[in-house]
Amino acid sequence: MTRGKFRIYLGGAPGVGKTYSMLSEAHRRVERGTDCVVAFVEHHERPRTEVLLHGLEQVPRQELQYRDAVFTEMDVDAVLERRPAVALVDELAHTNVPGSRNTKRWQDVEELLAAGIDVVSTVNIQHLESLGDVVESITGIRQRETVPDEVVRRADQIELVDMSPEALRRRMAHGNIYKPDKVDAARSNYFRPGNLTALRELALLWVADRVDEYLQQYRGEHNIRSPWQARERIVVGLTGGPEGRTLIRRAARLAEKGAGGEVLAVYIARSDGLSSASPKELAGQRTLVEDLGGTFHHVVGDNVTQALLEFARGVNASQIVLGSSRRKAWQYVFGPGVGATVARDSGPDLDVHIVTHDEVARGRGLPLHHGATLGRSRIVAGWLAGLLGPALLSVLLTGSGADLGLANDMLLFLSLTVAAALLGGLLPALASAAFGSLLLNYYFTPPLHQFTVSDPRNILAIVIFVGVAVSVASVVDLAARRTQQAARLRAESEILSFLAGSVLRGETSLDALLERVRETFTMESVALLERESDVAPWTCTGSVGPRAVLRPEDADVDMPVGDHLALALSGRVLPAEDRRVLGAFAAQAAVVLDRQRLQSEAAQARESAEGNRIRTSLLAAVSHDLRTPLAGIKASVTSLRSDDVAWSEADQAELLAGIEDGADRLGHLVDNLLDMSRLQTDTVTPLIREIYLDEVVPMALGGVPEGSVVLDIPEALPMVAVDPGLLERAVANVVENAVKYSPGGEPVLVTASAIADRVEVRVVDRGPGVPDEAKNRIFAPFQRYGDAPRGAGVGLGLAVARGFTEAMGGTLNAEDTPGGGFTMVLSVPSAADHPPIRPDLPATDTS
């Protein structure tokens, strides 16, 4: 059967017109011939809303009696029997009166959708479960009626019903929302302008996020690559330099100008050697962008411009923020730079902002990531200057006819040799000196155009030229290499300093450290491998990146740490000089791993101490609870064995009943103690199988007085995947606890319902209830809430019930009962292969 379509009108506050919009849509559909009925709509005595109900078919409501009053709820069975094309269901988050088919109205809606009926409903933003804490902090009121976010997200259409706070307050003043006697109180409390503005913003942002999800899904399904600027996404290109913080803050200000703007900082690293950026500076910029609500991304790519544009288009960005180049003016001879290239290739769909900063034209700076080598581009430039430069100089001097003299000619050729040394190092300089000497001999020393020298002084001059050229080239090359080495060592010292700082700060995240290794060396993946002995197989204790290797021999780079620990990197082969820094990272990884294990051992020690505390509490708790039934049994047995009194049959039966009751109490207490011991030692192994709830829950009611429980387990429920024995014990403990605190004459209601892929069992009592701050505490061992009398148990029942439920993959939580009381909600997974069937009426039994 095809699932029905679900449409939701979402509002920021009551009174914005959700129900009015829903009814207006219903009239439009009816006019088009659609079979549309009102399953449940509450007009709250609002005249304009009530008028819209006229002309629409309304399904009669179900009347339920609760606490000497009659309430009306949506009659799900009647709607299913009527089977319209569209059903209108107001107030999606409403909690049904006890005794209804489902606990919550959204569960009723799920049944209608599953039956193929389209549903139009309404809900306010404050009723979304994930926003409960936010709404409470804004309004000071905790919303008791909530609907899971996933229910609303699954809607096929979500339409925002929006209204400004001023218009809503005017509507309230005109009496269109509440009666006149309630208007002043509402306007001065919940409906204050600040509250309404904040709730309106929540609604707008929540709907905007859903729209963005739909947009991304549509773009993916239709393979759309070009950005659609439906939302401002600003990509910040970082170089790792100090100007990055200025760019991030500027991008954040741009994002603030448009609602819902998003900042994505990206660092493009080349795929060879140590990153040219300072790891310390990048870490600070990552923290800054995350503090401002953005995200940080690390991308590897040799073509920085192409990688940046691909990233921006991939995230559907609308703007790119780059800094003005730090290169000096003469460096532009090597190309226009990243900023100009990105602006040229961005196209009409991406705006590029070039932001000025304090580091403009101060030079790119070192360290370069090539270590002590000069880099391919510089070496090529050196060879060109050393070989092509002398040839061009010779053509220029001979073509101009100028006679500068041999000494000046040698100085000009010597300057080219020095330039070759500065750019390409020693070898291009030596080649320049040799080539230059030949040109000097051929063109400038008599006899001209011959490789001979007639004047011995010219021979000496050429020899001195070669010697000076080689000496200068050697010194320049050595200085350049020392500068490179110093810059590299500075980069390494920054990395090592950061590692030392992380040790002092006590950072213990192994994944964060491995991610830093991957970013620093621009690798695809990094894994920390360990084995117990030299012949044992390797195991992975932590990894980041795709396709992490599982053996050191499979890695491109492996760094052993001791005998049985190794850091394995894949992506490329590292040069030898990079391994020193990698060794420091590996040592730090070993320290972090040891620290994590020490923390684990400390946690185990705390658990052991907690076990000792529990044992102490156990002795203190059972000293009375064991002694009381034993004393009763002892007294009854002594009386029966006494020869001094002739007991009647009625007296003997009463004494025997007392012995049986005491034995039952002892047995129940021992069972709970044993169960708690199994939970504490983690020895509970559930045997999961598929079973219906009505085969288990009735068996759990054997220990409660007859007539104290009303059982309502619909036959329509799917099978559940549980351990029947554990589920029976859990339900029994919860029901016995509810009966214990339920007032006389008020039976406990045990009901069940199916929600998505789970089945909930609700145990509802009308007792005194438990405040919110104590709801989790009642599940702790040896805890009894309130003024529970001694002898009412040692406080293990709920702890055992929760432990057994969680062992089966379920949950056990506490809620308030509408109208007063306490509700325990036991949720277990349903069996996927057994969908629910729909009977005519749910079965109701009384125990």
Side-chain angles (χ1 to χ4, degrees), residues 510 527-534 538-542 552 558-568 585-594 597:
L510 182 60
L528 185 63
L529 307 178
E530 187 181 26
R531 61 180 178 180
E532 297 180 356
S533 64
D534 293 338
W538 290 95
T539 59
C540 182
T541 59
D558 70 283
M559 175 60 66
V561 188
D563 296 331
H564 304 134
L565 199 65
L567 195 63
F585 273 110
Q588 175 67 3
V591 171
V592 170
L593 182 61
D594 289 340
R597 288 176 175 170

Side-chain angles (χ1 to χ4, degrees), residues 485-540:
Q485 291 171 352
R488 177 182 177 82
L489 291 174
R490 180 172 176 268
E492 293 181 1
S493 66
E494 287 184 354
I495 294 173
L496 297 176
S497 174
F498 176 81
L499 287 177
S502 66
V503 174
L504 294 177
R505 291 190 298 270
E507 296 178 358
T508 57
S509 174
L510 182 60
D511 288 343
L513 178 64
L514 296 180
E515 180 63 28
R516 186 164 297 278
V517 174
R518 190 176 74 89
E519 291 182 0
T520 300
F521 296 98
T522 60
M523 306 299 283
E524 290 184 2
S525 64
V526 179
L528 185 63
L529 307 178
E530 187 181 26
R531 61 180 178 180
E532 297 180 356
S533 64
D534 293 338
V535 296
W538 290 95
T539 59
C540 182

Side-chain angles (χ1 to χ4, degrees), residues 696-707:
V696 178
V697 175
M699 299 174 61
L701 307 181
V704 297
E706 185 175 354

Side-chain angles (χ1 to χ4, degrees), residues 691 693-703 711 724-725 728-729 731-732:
I691 193 171
L693 274 183
D694 55 10
E695 298 179 38
V696 178
V697 175
M699 299 174 61
L701 307 181
L711 184 62
E728 180 183 344
R729 290 296 312 280
V731 174

Side-chain angles (χ1 to χ4, degrees), residues 70-407:
V70 176
F71 299 88
T72 60
E73 294 287 1
M74 180 174 68
D75 193 336
V76 180
D77 293 317
V79 178
L80 292 173
E81 184 178 356
R82 170 62 176 76
R83 198 170 187 78
V86 180
L88 308 182
V89 182
D90 204 7
E91 299 178 356
L92 185 64
H94 171 74
T95 301
N96 293 330
V97 174
S100 301
R101 180 190 188 92
N102 294 303
T103 304
K104 306 286 288 187
R105 183 163 292 163
W106 62 263
Q107 296 169 336
D108 297 336
V109 169
E110 287 292 325
E111 288 197 29
L112 300 182
L113 293 171
I117 300 174
D118 294 348
V119 176
V120 182
S121 188
T122 64
V123 70
N124 282 327
I125 193 67
Q126 67 264 29
H127 293 301
L128 295 182
E129 200 167 76
S130 66
L131 300 178
D133 295 336
V134 179
V135 172
E136 183 178 11
S137 66
I138 294 171
T139 64
I141 299 174
R142 183 70 180 184
Q143 297 294 330
R144 299 297 180 185
E145 294 187 329
T146 60
V147 57
D149 289 43
E150 185 60 28
V151 173
V152 182
R153 283 196 182 98
R154 287 201 304 264
D156 299 279
Q157 298 180 58
I158 300 176
E159 181 169 336
L160 178 66
V161 182
D162 187 33
M163 177 174 287
S164 67
E166 294 78 9
L168 182 58
R169 285 169 58 85
R170 284 196 302 270
R171 176 180 288 184
M172 180 176 294
H174 295 158
N176 293 330
I177 299 177
Y178 294 137
K179 292 182 178 179
D181 58 340
K182 297 181 179 179
V183 170
D184 291 339
R187 283 166 58 92
S188 60
N189 290 285
Y190 190 89
F191 288 85
R192 295 195 299 268
N195 289 359
L196 297 178
T197 302
L199 293 173
R200 185 189 188 196
E201 182 181 22
L202 276 179
L204 290 169
L205 291 177
W206 197 91
V207 173
D209 287 338
R210 303 291 77 72
V211 173
D212 193 54
E213 290 177 4
Y214 298 149
L215 179 61
Q216 292 295 343
Q217 180 181 356
Y218 180 85
R219 282 166 49 84
E221 292 174 351
H222 294 78
N223 195 26
I224 298 173
R225 297 285 297 165
S226 60
W228 285 2
Q229 299 179 5
R231 180 178 182 179
E232 291 296 338
R233 278 195 179 85
I234 303 174
V235 171
V236 185
L238 301 178
T239 64
E243 78 281 0
R245 298 173 183 267
T246 302
L247 304 184
I248 292 171
R249 293 190 179 96
R250 177 59 175 162
R253 291 195 296 272
L254 288 174
E256 290 174 357
K257 293 180 180 179
E262 185 178 358
V263 176
L264 301 91
V266 57
Y267 172 67
I268 311 293
R270 297 186 184 274
S271 60
D272 54 345
L274 280 171
S275 168
S276 60
S278 166
K280 181 179 179 181
E281 186 65 36
L282 273 182
Q285 293 173 14
R286 178 197 291 267
T287 302
L288 175 62
V289 71
E290 291 175 350
D291 290 343
L292 293 175
T295 56
F296 184 91
H297 304 268
H298 185 278
V299 176
V300 177
D302 290 325
N303 189 325
V304 176
T305 301
Q306 182 180 356
L308 181 61
L309 289 173
E310 287 181 354
F311 175 83
R313 292 191 174 103
V315 298
N316 197 26
S318 57
Q319 302 180 54
I320 298 178
V321 174
L322 299 174
S324 296
S325 178
R326 287 185 286 144
R327 296 191 300 173
K328 295 184 180 297
W330 64 269
Q331 291 177 307
Y332 281 96
V333 300
F334 300 107
V338 173
T341 308
V342 169
R344 182 192 65 199
D345 298 341
S346 61
D349 50 6
L350 276 172
D351 297 333
V352 179
H353 301 265
I354 304 297
V355 179
T356 59
H357 50 84
D358 295 337
E359 303 296 322
V360 174
R362 292 191 176 184
R364 294 284 298 174
L366 297 173
L368 293 174
H369 60 278
H370 300 289
T373 62
L374 297 177
R376 180 178 302 175
S377 61
R378 286 191 59 177
I379 292 175
V380 171
W383 281 103
L384 291 175
L387 297 180
L388 186 60
L392 294 176
L393 180 60
S394 298
V395 173
L396 179 63
L397 292 176
T398 56
S400 64
D403 186 8
L404 302 178
L406 183 60

Side-chain angles (χ1 to χ4, degrees), residues 673-728:
L673 291 174
L674 291 175
D675 292 337
M676 198 67 227
S677 175
R678 292 168 59 197
L679 290 171
Q680 292 290 336
T681 56
D682 199 20
T683 57
V684 176
T685 305
L687 301 176
I688 303 298
R689 66 184 183 90
E690 298 178 357
I691 193 171
Y692 286 103
L693 274 183
D694 55 10
E695 298 179 38
V696 178
V697 175
M699 299 174 61
L701 307 181
V704 297
E706 185 175 354
S708 61
V709 176
V710 174
L711 184 62
D712 181 7
I713 306 296
E715 296 179 359
L717 294 178
M719 300 180 77
V720 293
V722 296
D723 183 318
L726 296 184
L727 179 61
E728 180 183 344

